[in-house]
């Protein structure tokens, strides 16, 4: 099986040999490649659906993008025997969770001269960007954006200070 992961994961394709079982991220494109002699047809069966592999000189291929867990069978046939071998496999999905952000103002007991926001952000496949988006109360029609520096990891903390005139 050749695994082509969703582009946002920034992972190189991988190949699994000798097994039809796998744990893959949601949205992975799987291409099954089977070289078989004395075989005229290979079927891919899942959820009561039967699809045939494409055959080119005893090299069979079938592709499917996986978004949910999948129990499937690969069934081989030739001119003499139909549905000779039924191999059962399972694909388990690693769901992509939504990013999470937790932010709050620093306690007043710190007696800070400006409003300070502290927080934590998480995303199971790594962070890419964090922005503070706000309107200045003196210019309520102008949208302001400020990008906070973050690590491109799964979890990071941040601190942002608002100028008192803006809050």
């Amino acid at each position: 099986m050749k695994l082509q992961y969703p582009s946002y994961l920034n992972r190189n394709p991988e190949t699994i040999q000798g097994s039809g079982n796998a744990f893959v991220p949601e949205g992975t494109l799987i291409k099954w490649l089977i070289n078989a002699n004395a075989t005229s047809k290979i079927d891919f069966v899942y959820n009561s659906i039967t699809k045939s592999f494409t055959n080119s000189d005893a090299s069979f291929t079938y592709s499917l993008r996986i978004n949910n867990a999948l129990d499937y069978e690969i069934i081989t046939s030739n001119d003499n025997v139909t549905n000779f071998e039924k191999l059962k496999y399972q694909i388990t999905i690693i769901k992509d969770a939504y990013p999470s952000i937790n932010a709050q103002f620093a306690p007043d007991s710190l007696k800070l001269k400006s409003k300070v926001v502290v927080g934590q952000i998480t995303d199971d496949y790594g962070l890419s960007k964090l922005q503070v988006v706000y309107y200045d109360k003196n210019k309520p029609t102008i949208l302001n954006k400020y990008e906070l520096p973050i690590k491109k990891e799964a979890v990071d903390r941040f601190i942002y200070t608002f100028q008192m005139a803006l809050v």
Side-chain angles (χ1 to χ4, degrees), residues 9-164:
L9 296 179
N10 295 318
R11 288 178 62 180
N12 292 326
E14 291 183 42
T15 300
I16 296 175
Q17 294 184 2
S19 177
N21 297 317
F23 286 84
V24 299
E26 179 179 19
T28 297
L29 177 65
I30 300 178
K31 182 177 184 178
W32 286 264
L33 303 161
I34 300 173
N35 292 318
N37 293 321
T39 302
S40 58
K41 183 179 179 186
I42 299 178
D43 287 328
F44 187 90
V45 180
Y46 66 102
N47 300 335
S48 301
I49 299 168
T50 301
K51 299 287 185 175
S52 292
F53 278 64
T54 302
N55 181 3
S56 176
D57 295 325
S59 181
F60 295 82
T61 60
Y62 180 74
S63 296
L64 184 66
R65 185 166 306 279
I66 307 295
N67 291 308
N68 295 300
L70 181 70
D71 292 327
Y72 69 97
E73 292 180 319
I74 292 179
I75 303 172
T76 60
S77 300
N78 64 23
D79 296 335
N80 299 316
V81 182
T82 301
N83 298 339
F84 172 68
E85 191 172 33
K86 293 182 181 183
L87 303 171
K88 294 184 179 192
Y89 298 106
Q90 198 172 53
I91 302 294
T92 303
I93 292 297
I94 303 166
K95 286 288 189 184
D96 184 10
Y98 288 105
S100 168
I101 185 167
N102 181 351
Q104 57 193 31
F105 285 109
D108 286 339
S109 63
L110 296 177
K111 302 206 186 292
L112 300 171
K113 293 182 180 180
S114 54
K115 294 281 187 181
V116 176
V117 177
V118 295
Q120 178 176 310
I121 55 173
T122 62
D123 190 14
D124 51 353
Y125 288 113
L127 303 165
S128 59
K129 178 169 73 169
L130 176 63
Q131 290 181 325
V132 175
V133 180
Y134 62 95
Y135 292 93
D136 182 325
K137 72 178 183 180
N138 297 320
K139 299 176 187 172
T141 59
I142 299 174
L143 179 70
N144 294 287
K145 294 181 183 179
Y146 177 77
E147 189 162 329
L148 296 172
I150 58 169
K151 297 174 189 163
K152 306 291 183 182
E153 297 174 4
V155 178
D156 199 5
R157 295 181 181 273
F158 63 90
I159 298 174
Y160 182 75
T161 304
F162 281 97
Q163 302 298 323
M164 287 305 284

